[in-house]
Amino acid sequence: MYRIGLDIGIKSVGWSVLDCNDKGEPIGILMLGSRIFDAAEQPKTGASLAMPRRLARGNRRRLRRKSARLSYIRKLFEKNGIFIFDESETQIKSALRDMDVLAKRAEALDSRITEEEFARVLYSIARYRGFKSNRKSGASAEDGALISAIAGNKQKIEEKGYRTVGEYLFKEYENKGLPVHNRGDRYDMCIARDDL
């Protein structure tokens, strides 16, 4: 009877074969060794060789999911008799630019908006649906900036008594002529998906 032990690392694999008694308890070492190989990383930076592929795959997934989500919402509206999405995606983006979506979101809290305006508001929310981390391990510095921006926005919404994220973004930024989208590595406009 014997046992095999493995120590698998990023640059090496260690192994041993232990001789065992009838109860399965180790009584001696039969063989052991290790294999050392080059790490799968950039020698100068230590970055993973797979990182460019992983980032490209993540972008493809994000774009595919967004396209499927927007296609689904268009079909949902058509199924319910709202036929405003017969246009191409470019025409829809143009129509959303022509209509001040944030102003409509704030307006809709206190007065009725048209069915078309309501559909365009929902479509816009589906396009920019907030941040949700899909990270499986520890947080990065970028996640820290995102999370603190989200917490700050949530606190401002509660302190100033805004009823929705749309009302907050309209009254605090767009109405004052300030940009409503993130620029570069700033995450001031990040909102949690649950809050949205």
Side-chain angles (χ1 to χ4, degrees):
M1 188 178 246
Y2 64 90
R3 285 187 183 178
I4 297 174
L6 298 173
D7 176 21
I8 301 173
I10 191 168
K11 293 177 68 172
S12 64
V13 175
W15 58 274
S16 66
V17 181
L18 303 175
D19 189 20
C20 299
N21 61 19
D22 295 337
K23 296 178 183 177
E25 298 166 343
I27 55 173
I29 298 173
L30 296 176
M31 290 183 273
L32 58 85
S34 65
R35 294 289 182 264
I36 299 172
F37 44 86
D38 293 336
E41 59 186 24
Q42 298 288 345
K44 292 181 181 177
T45 63
S48 169
L49 293 175
M51 186 170 58
R53 286 195 335 262
R54 184 173 57 249
L55 292 174
R57 185 173 59 245
N59 282 335
R60 286 192 306 270
R61 282 181 182 159
R62 185 179 49 79
L63 291 172
R64 184 179 65 241
R65 288 171 182 162
K66 181 177 181 178
S67 176
R69 185 174 65 248
L70 297 180
S71 174
Y72 173 79
I73 199 167
R74 283 195 298 268
K75 288 176 185 171
L76 180 68
F77 284 136
E78 288 172 11
K79 180 181 169 186
N80 289 284
I82 304 171
F83 297 100
I84 63 165
F85 295 111
D86 297 335
E87 311 104 351
S88 69
E89 185 70 20
T90 307
Q91 289 169 322
I92 291 169
K93 285 179 184 175
S94 175
L96 287 172
R97 272 194 303 271
D98 293 342
M99 184 182 101
D100 190 348
V101 175
L102 286 176
K104 286 295 171 190
R105 285 170 67 179
E107 180 187 328
L109 293 171
D110 299 312
S111 63
R112 187 177 179 88
I113 60 174
T114 69
E115 197 174 74
E116 180 178 321
E117 290 168 339
F118 179 65
R120 291 193 189 281
V121 164
L122 289 181
Y123 191 79
S124 175
I125 291 172
R127 286 178 67 211
Y128 305 103
R129 63 192 185 130
F131 172 78
K132 180 179 178 185
S133 177
N134 62 357
R135 189 174 295 276
K136 296 201 178 0
S137 61
S140 67
E142 185 176 287
D143 277 356
L146 279 166
I147 290 167
S148 64
I150 288 169
N153 284 330
K154 188 171 188 162
Q155 184 178 358
K156 287 179 197 171
I157 291 169
E158 289 171 2
E159 283 175 358
K160 297 192 176 188
Y162 290 117
R163 296 168 285 177
T164 65
V165 169
E167 183 182 33
Y168 163 69
L169 291 174
F170 176 69
K171 290 184 177 175
E172 286 292 315
Y173 294 96
E174 188 176 279
N175 206 23
K176 296 175 182 176
L178 299 171
V180 184
H181 296 286
N182 292 318
R183 301 272 189 247
D185 58 353
R186 294 186 62 212
Y187 302 102
D188 299 344
M189 299 296 112
C190 285
I191 303 293
R193 190 174 301 169
D194 291 342
D195 295 337
L196 188 64

